[in-house]
Amino acid sequence: MTPPTQHGPVVARTPEELRAALADADGVGLVPTMGSLHSGHRSLMRLARGRAGTVVVSVFVNPLQFGPDEDFEHYPRDLGADTRVCAEEGVDVVFAPETQTMYPAPQMVTVDAGTMGERLEGASRPGHFTGVLTVVAKLFHLVRPDFAVFGEKDAQQIALVRRMVTDLNLPVEIVGAPLSRDPDGLASSSRNAYLSEQERTSALALSRALTAGREAAPGGAEDVRAASRKVLDEAAAADPPVRLDYLALVDPATFGEASADHRGEAVLAVAARVGGTRLIDNTAVPL
């Protein structure tokens, strides 16, 4: 276990080191991450810092949630930089296990994400949410937090984590942190670093499409879809193009498609590729 510096967190690499670091902890808040920490992660840490006596940030690139053609091997990893970000945000403990520590043997028992996990992101990335829920359940067991903070950028993920906590009677409060955006409007993401300047300009169509859809909400669900689709159709002809994966207006309780006469809150979600980078974004839409 790496001891804290004068202004830094304890870095625990094993469950035993984590237990030692949390031996006298009271009111533990957990921020699960895959590292490559950015302004969005900082907002999660600040929310946790305002509520918890002890803040734990996990830094673990989880292989179970990556598909065979995804960027697991190339996902950015820099624990030193991540620890410095945590120090700046007043984090008490960084839990940064190795893959072998989290998965000492092939994982035979997993948390099934069910039909809700087969839609949208789950349809595009089969098995993704089973991997997410499995590692989150492991982290809850190891850290034993009173609450955990998740970003609302991953709207389907946080909905599934909440459902897992409810269905499995896990004693953890799930706290949603508002989606964080870069100054140009792009949703904050570790993958934004992959974008060239031109690709980033094209990628701004995602947030513009969501804004257009939200502004069309008084006309109902079909107007929301049409307004968003118009922006994305134009972006498909840009250079470089935005290649749409999905655009969906969904019921936040199930992530099934919102009906034409849906009333109440809905979630407008989009996923697309720009160059070799896959991006997601969403916004709440009151209908």
Side-chain angles (χ1 to χ4, degrees):
M1 178 168 60
T2 303
T5 63
Q6 184 177 357
H7 301 290
V10 171
V11 178
R13 305 303 299 266
T14 67
E16 294 76 18
E17 291 179 353
L18 179 65
R19 282 195 294 273
L22 296 177
D24 299 317
D26 184 34
V28 176
L30 170 65
V31 181
T33 83
M34 292 206 302
S36 191
L37 302 178
H38 51 67
S39 60
H41 294 114
R42 287 179 182 269
S43 70
L44 273 61
M45 295 177 209
R46 290 169 189 167
L47 195 160
R49 182 73 280 165
R51 295 176 49 123
T54 301
V55 175
V56 179
V57 171
S58 63
V59 176
F60 178 64
V61 183
N62 175 36
L64 257 63
Q65 67 192 69
F66 286 78
D69 298 321
E70 295 183 341
D71 58 345
F72 174 71
E73 295 297 335
H74 301 288
Y75 195 88
R77 296 165 171 85
D78 188 340
L79 182 59
D82 291 339
T83 302
R84 288 191 291 274
V85 170
C86 290
E88 291 167 3
E89 298 301 333
V91 170
D92 301 290
V93 179
V94 173
F95 180 45
E98 299 290 343
T99 301
Q100 184 66 23
T101 298
M102 292 297 284
Y103 302 111
Q107 191 75 17
M108 296 180 65
V109 177
T110 57
V111 180
D112 186 353
T115 56
M116 186 174 172
E118 295 170 355
R119 297 166 178 153
L120 302 190
E121 284 297 289
S124 296
R125 306 174 68 187
H128 170 71
F129 286 121
T130 291
V132 169
L133 295 183
T134 298
V135 78
V136 168
K138 280 175 169 274
L139 289 170
F140 286 174
H141 176 70
L142 291 166
V143 178
R144 300 181 184 272
D146 295 280
F147 69 89
V149 182
F150 291 83
E152 292 177 352
K153 181 175 83 73
D154 297 300
Q156 190 174 6
Q157 172 179 281
I158 192 172
L160 278 161
V161 170
R162 285 187 167 125
R163 188 59 190 254
M164 177 181 72
V165 165
T166 297
D167 288 354
L168 301 184
N169 300 105
L170 301 180
V172 183
E173 178 190 359
I174 304 304
V175 179
L179 189 151
S180 174
R181 295 190 181 278
D182 294 347
D184 59 5
L186 194 65
S188 299
S189 170
S190 302
R191 290 187 169 94
N192 291 351
Y194 299 161
L195 297 169
S196 70
E197 185 175 347
Q198 287 181 308
E199 288 169 346
R200 188 178 181 103
T201 298
S202 291
L204 295 176
L206 273 67
S207 58
R208 290 201 308 273
L210 296 180
T211 298
R214 190 171 60 247
E215 290 175 348
E222 295 311 312
D223 282 8
V224 170
R225 292 184 176 103
S228 301
R229 176 71 67 171
K230 182 176 184 295
V231 174
L232 293 168
D233 285 347
E234 293 171 355
D239 183 21
V242 174
R243 304 191 307 279
L244 185 64
D245 186 346
Y246 63 75
L247 172 71
L249 184 68
V250 299
D251 183 328
T254 65
F255 270 71
E257 282 286 345
S259 63
D261 59 354
H262 182 91
R263 294 294 178 267
E265 187 171 290
V267 173
L268 182 60
V270 63
R273 289 187 180 275
V274 183
T277 305
R278 187 175 185 275
L279 302 170
I280 63 172
D281 203 344
N282 76 85
T283 190
V285 177
L287 293 172

